[in-house]
Amino acid sequence: MNKVILMGRLTRDPEVRYSQGESATAVARYTLAVDRRFRRDNDQQTADFINCVAFGRNGEFAEKYFHKGIKIAITGRIQTGSYTNQEGQKVYTTDVVVEEQEFAESKSASESQSGGYQPAGRPAPSAAAGDGFMNIPDGIDEELPFN
């Protein structure tokens, strides 16, 4: 059985490309920084940096919603490969092929970690009203999935 479950933060925005042909498929590559539970003596690294690749709808989702610093949880499988570089040396690769991905913290917690990231073209939400609910700015109600 080849099954991986990871939770960590993106080290950079996903790099997304589309395959050639009639039905172009999104291919998103990103690196997760996954904290280690325990630290060995003299070991400075407290996280592992794991390369992930998401295809199709998962790739499109990553392109649209993921950004540097966001905390996500993924499940997938390990895939190894190799290629010969320009110097003629064989290079071995290990990636996690993403099967499922989801947010691992609230949007407000994520924004505080990433320096207040706000997607382009979207107004910042106003402060919470006295009743505990946030006011929705005018003009975005058609974007809401409910009415």
Side-chain angles (χ1 to χ4, degrees):
M1 181 186 300
N2 182 355
K3 189 77 166 179
V4 176
I5 302 171
L6 299 170
M7 185 174 353
R9 293 193 183 279
L10 268 65
T11 61
R12 56 185 161 73
D13 290 348
E15 178 183 311
V16 182
R17 295 193 174 144
Y18 286 83
S19 65
Q20 301 293 320
E22 261 181 53
S23 56
T25 302
V27 180
R29 293 186 175 278
Y30 52 84
T31 302
L32 271 185
V34 179
D35 288 333
R36 292 183 179 173
R37 278 195 162 178
F38 303 104
R39 195 169 144 183
R40 293 186 181 145
D41 295 337
N42 300 326
D43 186 7
Q44 298 299 318
Q45 185 179 10
T46 59
D48 291 302
F49 299 90
I50 301 169
N51 295 323
C52 303
V53 60
F55 296 97
R57 294 179 77 97
N58 282 333
E60 293 169 6
F61 186 87
E63 178 180 35
K64 189 171 183 179
Y65 297 108
F66 289 176
H67 57 84
K68 178 181 177 178
I70 195 169
K71 189 173 190 178
I72 63 169
I74 67 166
T75 60
R77 60 185 168 80
I78 293 178
Q79 181 171 298
T80 60
S82 64
Y83 64 92
T84 304
N85 66 12
Q86 293 178 343
E87 291 82 38
Q89 299 169 325
K90 194 162 195 168
V91 178
Y92 294 94
T93 62
T94 302
D95 294 311
V96 172
V97 177
V98 176
E99 294 169 354
E100 296 178 30
Q101 57 192 5
E102 59 188 65
F103 299 105
E105 67 185 356
S106 69
K107 186 175 179 181
S108 61
S110 176
E111 286 173 352
S112 69
Q113 282 290 326
S114 64
Y117 173 82
Q118 186 69 28
R122 186 152 234 179
S126 58
D131 59 3
F133 290 96
M134 295 189 89
N135 294 323
I136 299 173
D138 291 333
I140 67 164
D141 49 339
E142 58 271 351
E143 292 181 35
L144 297 175
F146 53 87
N147 281 334

